[in-house]
Short mmCIF file of all heavy atoms in Angstrom, two decimals:
data_model
loop_
_atom_site.label_atom_id
_atom_site.label_comp_id
_atom_site.label_asym_id
_atom_site.label_seq_id
_atom_site.Cartn_x
_atom_site.Cartn_y
_atom_site.Cartn_z
N GLU C 1 134.09 121.72 103.17
CA GLU C 1 133.41 120.91 104.25
C GLU C 1 132.05 121.48 104.64
O GLU C 1 131.14 120.71 104.80
CB GLU C 1 134.40 120.98 105.47
CG GLU C 1 133.90 120.17 106.59
CD GLU C 1 133.63 118.71 106.27
OE1 GLU C 1 134.41 118.05 105.45
OE2 GLU C 1 132.69 118.08 106.78
N PRO C 2 131.80 122.79 104.68
CA PRO C 2 130.45 123.24 105.04
C PRO C 2 129.39 122.84 104.06
O PRO C 2 128.26 122.42 104.36
CB PRO C 2 130.58 124.78 105.12
CG PRO C 2 132.05 125.04 105.30
CD PRO C 2 132.73 123.94 104.62
N VAL C 3 129.76 122.88 102.74
CA VAL C 3 128.81 122.47 101.70
C VAL C 3 128.55 120.98 101.74
O VAL C 3 127.42 120.55 101.74
CB VAL C 3 129.33 122.95 100.27
CG1 VAL C 3 128.44 122.34 99.20
CG2 VAL C 3 129.47 124.40 100.22
N ALA C 4 129.56 120.26 101.91
CA ALA C 4 129.44 118.79 102.06
C ALA C 4 128.55 118.46 103.24
O ALA C 4 127.74 117.54 103.15
CB ALA C 4 130.82 118.14 102.17
N ALA C 5 128.70 119.16 104.40
CA ALA C 5 127.91 118.86 105.51
C ALA C 5 126.54 119.19 105.31
O ALA C 5 125.62 118.49 105.75
CB ALA C 5 128.50 119.68 106.75
N GLU C 6 126.25 120.29 104.67
CA GLU C 6 124.85 120.66 104.33
C GLU C 6 124.21 119.74 103.40
O GLU C 6 123.02 119.42 103.45
CB GLU C 6 124.75 122.13 103.74
CG GLU C 6 125.07 123.20 104.79
CD GLU C 6 124.06 123.13 105.98
OE1 GLU C 6 122.93 122.97 105.77
OE2 GLU C 6 124.57 123.20 107.09
N LEU C 7 125.00 119.23 102.39
CA LEU C 7 124.45 118.27 101.42
C LEU C 7 124.10 116.93 102.24
O LEU C 7 123.04 116.28 101.98
CB LEU C 7 125.48 117.93 100.37
CG LEU C 7 125.49 118.99 99.23
CD1 LEU C 7 126.69 118.67 98.33
CD2 LEU C 7 124.23 119.04 98.45
N GLY C 8 124.91 116.58 103.08
CA GLY C 8 124.68 115.33 103.92
C GLY C 8 123.47 115.57 104.82
O GLY C 8 122.57 114.66 104.99
N ALA C 9 123.35 116.75 105.35
CA ALA C 9 122.12 117.02 106.21
C ALA C 9 120.81 117.01 105.33
O ALA C 9 119.80 116.47 105.75
CB ALA C 9 122.20 118.36 106.95
N LEU C 10 120.95 117.62 104.13
CA LEU C 10 119.77 117.67 103.22
C LEU C 10 119.38 116.22 102.84
O LEU C 10 118.17 115.92 102.86
CB LEU C 10 120.09 118.47 102.00
CG LEU C 10 119.14 118.46 100.92
CD1 LEU C 10 117.91 119.31 101.23
CD2 LEU C 10 119.68 118.96 99.55
N THR C 11 120.43 115.42 102.56
CA THR C 11 120.09 114.06 102.19
C THR C 11 119.41 113.30 103.41
O THR C 11 118.49 112.61 103.18
CB THR C 11 121.41 113.36 101.68
OG1 THR C 11 121.95 114.03 100.72
CG2 THR C 11 121.19 111.92 101.39
N GLU C 12 120.01 113.50 104.54
CA GLU C 12 119.50 112.72 105.77
C GLU C 12 118.14 113.17 106.15
O GLU C 12 117.34 112.37 106.58
CB GLU C 12 120.56 112.92 106.84
CG GLU C 12 120.15 112.14 108.08
CD GLU C 12 121.14 112.37 109.21
OE1 GLU C 12 122.36 112.46 108.92
OE2 GLU C 12 120.74 112.51 110.36
N LYS C 13 117.88 114.47 106.09
CA LYS C 13 116.59 115.00 106.71
C LYS C 13 115.48 115.08 105.58
O LYS C 13 114.33 115.04 106.02
CB LYS C 13 116.88 116.43 107.27
CG LYS C 13 117.77 116.23 108.54
CD LYS C 13 117.92 117.66 109.19
CE LYS C 13 118.82 117.45 110.42
NZ LYS C 13 119.20 118.75 110.98
N LEU C 14 115.79 115.32 104.35
CA LEU C 14 114.69 115.47 103.36
C LEU C 14 114.69 114.45 102.25
O LEU C 14 113.69 113.77 102.03
CB LEU C 14 114.91 116.89 102.68
CG LEU C 14 114.63 118.02 103.57
CD1 LEU C 14 114.93 119.29 102.86
CD2 LEU C 14 113.18 118.00 104.15
N ILE C 15 115.82 114.16 101.62
CA ILE C 15 115.81 113.30 100.42
C ILE C 15 115.54 111.94 100.83
O ILE C 15 114.68 111.26 100.27
CB ILE C 15 117.12 113.54 99.61
CG1 ILE C 15 117.15 114.95 99.12
CG2 ILE C 15 117.23 112.54 98.51
CD1 ILE C 15 118.46 115.29 98.42
N ASN C 16 116.34 111.32 101.78
CA ASN C 16 116.16 109.89 102.19
C ASN C 16 114.78 109.62 102.64
O ASN C 16 114.17 108.66 102.25
CB ASN C 16 117.25 109.52 103.11
CG ASN C 16 118.60 109.24 102.52
OD1 ASN C 16 118.70 109.21 101.25
ND2 ASN C 16 119.63 109.14 103.28
N PRO C 17 114.25 110.41 103.65
CA PRO C 17 112.88 110.12 104.06
C PRO C 17 111.87 110.22 102.95
O PRO C 17 110.88 109.37 102.90
CB PRO C 17 112.64 111.18 105.17
CG PRO C 17 113.99 111.66 105.61
CD PRO C 17 114.85 111.45 104.39
N ALA C 18 112.02 111.14 102.09
CA ALA C 18 111.03 111.35 100.96
C ALA C 18 111.06 110.11 99.99
O ALA C 18 110.00 109.49 99.69
CB ALA C 18 111.24 112.58 100.18
N PHE C 19 112.34 109.67 99.65
CA PHE C 19 112.39 108.54 98.73
C PHE C 19 111.96 107.29 99.41
O PHE C 19 111.26 106.43 98.79
CB PHE C 19 113.84 108.46 98.27
CG PHE C 19 114.30 109.17 97.08
CD1 PHE C 19 114.56 110.52 97.18
CD2 PHE C 19 114.30 108.57 95.82
CE1 PHE C 19 114.85 111.30 96.03
CE2 PHE C 19 114.75 109.28 94.71
CZ PHE C 19 114.87 110.62 94.78
N THR C 20 112.31 107.18 100.70
CA THR C 20 111.82 105.88 101.42
C THR C 20 110.30 105.93 101.57
O THR C 20 109.71 104.86 101.38
CB THR C 20 112.49 105.94 102.83
OG1 THR C 20 113.95 105.95 102.64
CG2 THR C 20 112.17 104.73 103.59
N ASN C 21 109.79 107.04 101.84
CA ASN C 21 108.31 107.11 101.97
C ASN C 21 107.59 106.70 100.66
O ASN C 21 106.68 105.92 100.58
CB ASN C 21 107.92 108.59 102.32
CG ASN C 21 106.42 108.65 102.63
OD1 ASN C 21 105.73 107.70 102.83
ND2 ASN C 21 105.97 109.84 102.63
N ILE C 22 108.13 107.28 99.52
CA ILE C 22 107.57 106.97 98.20
C ILE C 22 107.72 105.47 97.89
O ILE C 22 106.72 104.83 97.49
CB ILE C 22 108.25 107.73 97.05
CG1 ILE C 22 107.92 109.25 97.28
CG2 ILE C 22 107.88 107.25 95.74
CD1 ILE C 22 108.79 110.17 96.38
N ALA C 23 108.85 104.91 98.12
CA ALA C 23 109.09 103.52 97.89
C ALA C 23 108.17 102.61 98.80
O ALA C 23 107.63 101.59 98.34
CB ALA C 23 110.54 103.12 98.07
N GLY C 24 108.09 103.01 100.04
CA GLY C 24 107.24 102.20 100.94
C GLY C 24 105.73 102.22 100.57
O GLY C 24 105.15 101.21 100.60
N ARG C 25 105.31 103.44 100.29
CA ARG C 25 103.88 103.56 99.86
C ARG C 25 103.56 102.81 98.57
O ARG C 25 102.53 102.22 98.44
CB ARG C 25 103.49 105.01 99.74
CG ARG C 25 103.40 105.72 101.03
CD ARG C 25 103.00 107.24 100.84
NE ARG C 25 102.89 107.81 102.14
CZ ARG C 25 101.82 108.55 102.52
NH1 ARG C 25 100.89 108.75 101.53
NH2 ARG C 25 101.80 109.09 103.66
N SER C 26 104.49 102.93 97.71
CA SER C 26 104.30 102.24 96.35
C SER C 26 104.25 100.73 96.61
O SER C 26 103.45 100.05 95.99
CB SER C 26 105.37 102.60 95.40
OG SER C 26 105.35 103.96 95.17
N SER C 27 105.19 100.30 97.35
CA SER C 27 105.28 98.86 97.63
C SER C 27 104.06 98.30 98.36
O SER C 27 103.47 97.31 98.08
CB SER C 27 106.52 98.55 98.42
OG SER C 27 106.64 97.12 98.58
N ASN C 28 103.59 99.12 99.37
CA ASN C 28 102.36 98.74 100.04
C ASN C 28 101.15 98.74 99.15
O ASN C 28 100.32 97.88 99.31
CB ASN C 28 102.09 99.75 101.21
CG ASN C 28 103.12 99.61 102.43
OD1 ASN C 28 103.86 98.59 102.52
ND2 ASN C 28 103.21 100.61 103.26
N ALA C 29 101.07 99.64 98.27
CA ALA C 29 99.99 99.73 97.32
C ALA C 29 99.91 98.45 96.45
O ALA C 29 98.85 97.87 96.21
CB ALA C 29 99.95 100.97 96.53
N VAL C 30 101.08 98.07 95.89
CA VAL C 30 101.18 96.98 95.07
C VAL C 30 100.78 95.64 95.83
O VAL C 30 100.09 94.84 95.35
CB VAL C 30 102.53 96.90 94.41
CG1 VAL C 30 102.84 95.48 93.70
CG2 VAL C 30 102.73 97.94 93.40
N ASN C 31 101.33 95.55 97.05
CA ASN C 31 101.02 94.43 97.84
C ASN C 31 99.53 94.32 98.17
O ASN C 31 98.95 93.27 98.19
CB ASN C 31 101.85 94.44 99.13
CG ASN C 31 103.30 94.16 98.90
OD1 ASN C 31 103.67 93.56 97.91
ND2 ASN C 31 104.16 94.58 99.80
N ALA C 32 98.90 95.55 98.45
CA ALA C 32 97.50 95.54 98.81
C ALA C 32 96.66 95.08 97.56
O ALA C 32 95.70 94.21 97.69
CB ALA C 32 97.06 96.93 99.19
N VAL C 33 97.03 95.55 96.37
CA VAL C 33 96.35 95.16 95.19
C VAL C 33 96.49 93.65 94.95
O VAL C 33 95.53 92.93 94.49
CB VAL C 33 96.64 95.92 93.94
CG1 VAL C 33 96.16 95.43 92.64
CG2 VAL C 33 96.33 97.39 94.14
N ASN C 34 97.72 93.17 95.10
CA ASN C 34 98.00 91.71 94.94
C ASN C 34 97.15 90.90 95.92
O ASN C 34 96.65 89.85 95.48
CB ASN C 34 99.44 91.48 95.28
CG ASN C 34 100.25 91.03 94.10
OD1 ASN C 34 99.69 90.50 93.15
ND2 ASN C 34 101.59 91.16 94.13
N ASN C 35 96.97 91.34 97.16
CA ASN C 35 96.22 90.61 98.08
C ASN C 35 94.72 90.69 97.70
O ASN C 35 94.04 89.59 97.93
CB ASN C 35 96.35 91.26 99.53
CG ASN C 35 97.74 91.01 100.12
OD1 ASN C 35 98.43 90.02 99.72
ND2 ASN C 35 98.14 91.82 101.09
N VAL C 36 94.26 91.77 97.28
CA VAL C 36 92.79 91.88 96.87
C VAL C 36 92.57 90.98 95.65
O VAL C 36 91.61 90.31 95.65
CB VAL C 36 92.52 93.37 96.50
CG1 VAL C 36 91.14 93.41 95.83
CG2 VAL C 36 92.49 94.20 97.73
N LEU C 37 93.50 91.00 94.70
CA LEU C 37 93.38 90.07 93.58
C LEU C 37 93.35 88.66 93.96
O LEU C 37 92.48 87.83 93.47
CB LEU C 37 94.53 90.30 92.53
CG LEU C 37 94.44 89.65 91.25
CD1 LEU C 37 93.24 89.98 90.50
CD2 LEU C 37 95.74 89.89 90.43
N ALA C 38 94.22 88.23 94.91
CA ALA C 38 94.18 86.83 95.44
C ALA C 38 92.78 86.56 96.07
O ALA C 38 92.21 85.41 95.79
CB ALA C 38 95.34 86.64 96.35
N VAL C 39 92.33 87.43 96.84
CA VAL C 39 91.02 87.24 97.49
C VAL C 39 89.94 87.06 96.53
O VAL C 39 89.00 86.24 96.63
CB VAL C 39 90.73 88.37 98.51
CG1 VAL C 39 89.24 88.38 99.01
CG2 VAL C 39 91.62 88.27 99.73
N LEU C 40 89.95 87.96 95.44
CA LEU C 40 88.96 88.00 94.45
C LEU C 40 88.91 86.69 93.68
O LEU C 40 87.87 86.11 93.44
CB LEU C 40 89.30 89.18 93.45
CG LEU C 40 88.28 89.27 92.24
CD1 LEU C 40 86.91 89.56 92.67
CD2 LEU C 40 88.81 90.22 91.32
N LEU C 41 90.12 86.15 93.31
CA LEU C 41 90.22 84.86 92.59
C LEU C 41 89.74 83.76 93.38
O LEU C 41 88.98 82.88 92.97
CB LEU C 41 91.67 84.72 92.15
CG LEU C 41 92.11 85.59 90.97
CD1 LEU C 41 93.59 85.48 90.68
CD2 LEU C 41 91.28 85.46 89.80
N GLU C 42 90.06 83.76 94.73
CA GLU C 42 89.66 82.69 95.60
C GLU C 42 88.07 82.68 95.81
O GLU C 42 87.41 81.72 95.79
CB GLU C 42 90.39 82.78 96.94
CG GLU C 42 90.12 81.71 97.95
CD GLU C 42 90.86 81.80 99.20
OE1 GLU C 42 92.08 82.23 99.22
OE2 GLU C 42 90.32 81.51 100.26
N SER C 43 87.55 83.97 95.96
CA SER C 43 86.16 84.13 96.08
C SER C 43 85.43 83.61 94.81
O SER C 43 84.36 83.03 94.93
CB SER C 43 85.86 85.56 96.33
OG SER C 43 86.42 85.98 97.64
N ASP C 44 85.94 84.04 93.68
CA ASP C 44 85.30 83.58 92.45
C ASP C 44 85.23 82.06 92.36
O ASP C 44 84.25 81.39 91.97
CB ASP C 44 86.01 84.13 91.17
CG ASP C 44 85.65 85.63 90.90
OD1 ASP C 44 84.73 86.04 91.49
OD2 ASP C 44 86.28 86.15 90.10
N ALA C 45 86.36 81.41 92.67
CA ALA C 45 86.49 79.96 92.65
C ALA C 45 85.49 79.33 93.68
O ALA C 45 84.77 78.37 93.34
CB ALA C 45 87.83 79.49 92.97
N GLN C 46 85.32 79.97 94.85
CA GLN C 46 84.52 79.43 95.90
C GLN C 46 82.93 79.57 95.50
O GLN C 46 82.21 78.66 95.54
CB GLN C 46 84.64 80.18 97.19
CG GLN C 46 83.76 79.68 98.32
CD GLN C 46 83.96 78.32 98.76
OE1 GLN C 46 85.12 77.94 98.92
NE2 GLN C 46 82.94 77.51 98.92
#
């Protein structure tokens, strides 16, 4: 039980936030590039 509790705490305090941060930043970067690409194509057409 003490090891399982520490693994749970490690997951909750370090691993999950780090993975979530990486996923969120990656997704935000892809979305930003997608938006810039859409603006670029619209500007070129204009």
Side-chain angles (χ1 to χ4, degrees):
E1 184 58 37
V3 174
E6 288 303 314
L7 283 172
L10 175 71
T11 300
E12 183 181 321
K13 292 182 181 172
L14 295 176
I15 296 174
N16 285 349
F19 273 81
T20 302
N21 188 17
I22 292 167
R25 287 177 178 232
S26 300
S27 184
N28 288 344
V30 167
N31 289 337
V33 172
N34 246 337
N35 291 339
V36 168
L37 186 59
V39 167
L40 177 68
L41 292 173
E42 185 177 322
S43 297
D44 280 351
Q46 180 66 44

